[in-house]
Amino acid sequence: MVDLGPQTRIVARLAASVADEQLTAATPCPGLRVRNLLGHLLTLSPAFRDAARKDLGPRTDTSPAATLPDIGPGWRARLPEALDEPAEAWRDPAAWTGGTRAGGVDLPGAVAGAVVAGELVIHAWDLARATGQAYVPDPDALDAALGFLRAAADGPARDGLFGAAVPVPEAAPPLDRAVGLSGRDPAWAPGTRPRAART
């Protein structure tokens, strides 16, 4: 089990510091602007909450790539609340046992929890890079994310989730290795062309 609360609070702090004029800025995810990335987080949060609760339905059955996400009015107030819900749901030990579903994919609970950690760690990096913010992930969430990304690197779970891994030296910091395994270039900065990383 990993307490996802520290990482969701980091994501919320990064989002709170996004200026309105940055909402149209490019991100490391091709085709996604900052506003789309924030919309993605708003969409993922209830889906990951439901996955933890084993409350399977439209939210857990729908691929995040099905539509281009966006923010709506009041997103600044809604996003921290939305992020709190999966963090609380994944504190239940039962969330990490048995099976569940996320993004239309059936997964063991422990794997689904690691996927959630990975999404939170990597998308926080996306948001920080796109908006010029400093970012240090929660160490426990980063460990879970890196473990999942390593395990998925050569397996079928990678298909449809990530672009081709970007080679990163094994001696690189853990966050850089996780970013590379997710199909992103750790050196990405605004004005550079994103690799074909998926969300």
Side-chain angles (χ1 to χ4, degrees):
M1 285 181 57
V2 178
D3 183 359
L4 299 173
Q7 182 62 29
T8 59
R9 289 192 290 273
I10 290 169
V11 177
R13 284 199 299 271
L14 290 169
S17 296
V18 174
D20 287 346
E21 59 268 23
Q22 292 178 310
L23 292 173
T24 57
T27 73
C29 302
L32 292 190
R33 299 289 171 171
V34 168
R35 66 180 302 125
N36 306 124
L37 179 58
L38 293 166
H40 183 57
L41 290 166
L42 277 165
T43 301
L44 284 181
S45 294
F48 285 146
R49 175 203 63 204
D50 290 355
R53 295 175 178 172
K54 315 294 197 291
D55 183 10
L56 308 184
R59 286 193 188 97
T60 59
D61 292 349
T62 303
S63 167
T67 60
L68 181 66
D70 203 352
I71 52 173
W75 72 268
R76 290 185 185 277
R78 288 190 295 117
L79 184 56
E81 296 173 358
L83 288 165
D84 282 344
E85 292 183 355
E88 183 59 33
W90 284 96
R91 288 190 181 106
D92 183 349
W96 299 81
T97 63
T100 190
R101 187 178 306 131
V105 179
D106 291 320
L107 298 165
V111 173
V115 170
V116 177
E119 289 284 317
L120 292 168
V121 166
I122 297 301
H123 286 322
W125 180 86
D126 291 332
L127 186 58
R129 280 302 173 102
T131 58
Q133 299 186 63
Y135 169 51
V136 178
D138 172 69
D140 291 337
L142 176 58
D143 284 348
L146 187 54
F148 166 70
L149 288 163
R150 279 176 170 155
D154 298 316
R158 180 167 198 90
D159 295 340
L161 289 176
F162 311 110
V166 174
V168 175
E170 190 58 32
L175 179 58
D176 284 0
R177 283 181 272 142
V179 167
L181 285 168
S182 76
R184 293 152 170 82
D185 184 348
W188 186 91
T192 61
R193 184 174 180 177
R195 302 242 184 172
R198 296 183 177 90
T199 58

